[in-house]
Amino acid sequence: MSPSFLDRFKNGLSKTRALLNADVGDLLRGHRPLRPEDLDALEEALLAADMGVPAVQEAMEHLRSKSGEVWTQGVEAMRALLRDEILAAVDRPLRSQPFSAKPWVVFVVGVNGVGKTTTIGKLAATWKAQGLTTLLCAADTFRAAAAEQLEIWARRTASPFHRGAEGADPSAVLTDGLRAARSHDYDAVLVDTAGRLHTKGNLMAELSKMARVAAREVPGAPHETLLVMDATVGSNGLAQGREFAKAAGVTGLVLTKLDGTAKGGAAVAVVRELGVPIRYVGVGETLEDLLAFDAAAFADSLLAD
Ligand code: GDP
């Protein structure tokens, strides 16, 4: 892993780290002897970072059960235990090997405003830098502005783009997009989906129809379904996440706006709740501000100096 990657992870998590440091920095850095009440302060800090009650309780149980070790071996033992807890909480295996099929079809789902379109642009740019061509497919036909936004990202990243008429059947737009991708031998297709339908039933019906259509056009598609979540809303976004996860068969998460929040601990809460790995994190608004999620880098960055 290049040092710049870790630095960028650290920058993205700087607000969350500042919060932890303000409350328990001394404790984690060994600037004073440990006291039993330190564990309570740590618990509060982790809750404030939005790690979520169940995950924090579990981590604290573990730390308390090892408190003998912590008291005798001091701060390094405490840091190592906490790092391992966080790492274990966010580390999940990938469901599939990216680009093991062509085109690699990725559905991108989530409520409006979380950063779906921006994430698609960033992913297209990342993959382009790896020599891959990605078609951006605007299957959110409810909002004309959504397709226009996506088209801007397609231009910015010099990527092919496909859209349908406003109000067209998203599955029909998707079918045409996938056929175009196949005939041009593109490496990947990123599919932008509607962020809001009138009822949950509609959402489910539409996403499962799109999945069926995708599988008909490209075997195994969608190969990934990424749920984009806004880290600044922290664990409050979980209820929405649950709905999408149920409706869309989510295989991975993208956590955006980590740069803007002290609630980076929400990563732990969402992985625990939804049971799928975080694939990427957004740490800013430009094309370069997307990082492939690395559980070890995440845990290290949270607890770094
Ligand atoms: P969509 O409605 O889900 O497609 O959301 P957009 O992609 O239009 O993003 C909504 C807003 O969030 C825009 O102003 C983006 O610039 C901003 N945004 C997206 N990702 C990030 C991120 O990782 N960090 C920050 N700071 N802003 C982001």
Side-chain angles (χ1 to χ4, degrees):
M1 192 190 312
S2 69
S4 71
F5 176 85
L6 244 185
D7 285 344
R8 296 182 61 206
F9 231 109
K10 279 190 188 167
N11 282 340
L13 280 164
S14 59
K15 289 195 176 159
T16 307
R17 196 170 53 248
L19 176 132
L20 288 176
N21 279 341
D23 288 345
V24 289
D26 285 357
L27 163 63
L28 289 173
R29 295 207 214 295
H31 295 159
R32 60 173 171 75
L34 291 171
R35 296 186 291 256
E37 63 270 28
D38 286 336
L39 283 179
D40 298 335
L42 180 63
E43 180 167 8
E44 268 169 43
L46 295 176
L47 285 171
D50 239 0
M51 260 178 65
V53 174
V56 172
Q57 272 173 355
E58 207 171 284
M60 295 313 297
E61 249 165 57
H62 204 203
L63 283 176
R64 288 201 170 95
S65 75
K66 300 240 173 173
S67 56
E69 214 171 290
V70 170
W71 304 146
T72 52
Q73 293 169 29
V75 151
E76 279 314 312
M78 160 80 95
R79 274 183 85 152
L81 281 170
L82 187 56
R83 178 196 180 274
D84 290 350
E85 282 296 315
I86 292 173
L87 178 58
V90 289
D91 206 11
R92 291 287 179 286
L94 277 192
R95 298 282 171 97
S96 54
Q97 189 55 40
F99 303 108
S100 52
K102 191 175 182 185
W104 185 249
V105 179
V106 179
F107 283 10
V108 182
V109 305
V111 296
N112 293 332
V114 291
K116 256 186 332 214
T117 319
T118 310
T119 297
I120 289 174
K122 289 170 174 177
L123 273 177
T126 305
W127 293 346
K128 192 183 183 73
Q130 295 168 12
L132 303 168
T133 303
T134 304
L135 174 87
L136 307 193
C137 180
D140 178 356
T141 57
F142 289 80
R143 294 185 306 157
E148 279 151 27
Q149 275 294 311
L150 196 67
E151 189 166 17
I152 292 172
W153 285 107
R155 243 182 277 132
R156 237 178 242 167
T157 59
S159 299
F161 172 72
H162 176 79
R163 71 175 288 182
E166 192 177 345
D169 176 2
S171 290
V173 177
L174 176 64
T175 302
D176 291 345
L178 292 175
R179 286 181 186 167
R182 273 199 342 235
S183 71
H184 289 95
D185 206 25
Y186 294 144
D187 299 288
V189 181
L190 283 165
V191 184
D192 190 19
T193 61
R196 192 179 301 277
L197 296 184
H198 299 305
T199 66
K200 281 178 211 154
N202 273 348
L203 176 70
M204 278 193 228
E206 172 152 319
L207 286 170
S208 58
K209 181 175 170 196
M210 286 174 70
R212 279 197 309 278
V213 160
R216 202 172 60 212
E217 295 300 323
V218 179
H223 305 101
E224 285 194 271
T225 298
L226 297 178
L227 172 66
V228 182
M229 297 180 84
D230 178 340
T232 62
V233 302
S235 42
N236 293 336
L238 270 177
Q240 283 169 343
R242 240 176 263 134
E243 289 304 324
F244 272 95
K246 259 192 271 157
V250 167
T251 61
L253 306 169
V254 180
L255 208 56
T256 60
K257 312 186 196 182
L258 265 189
D259 53 303
T261 181
K263 299 178 171 188
V268 175
V270 295
V271 169
R272 187 190 168 90
E273 171 76 25
L274 303 178
V276 292
I278 298 176
R279 297 278 288 117
Y280 303 95
V281 291
V283 293
E285 298 187 82
T286 74
L287 279 178
E288 293 83 46
D289 294 324
L290 187 77
L291 301 174
F293 185 74
D294 181 301
F298 175 82
D300 288 338
S301 302
L302 266 187
L303 301 177
D305 285 310

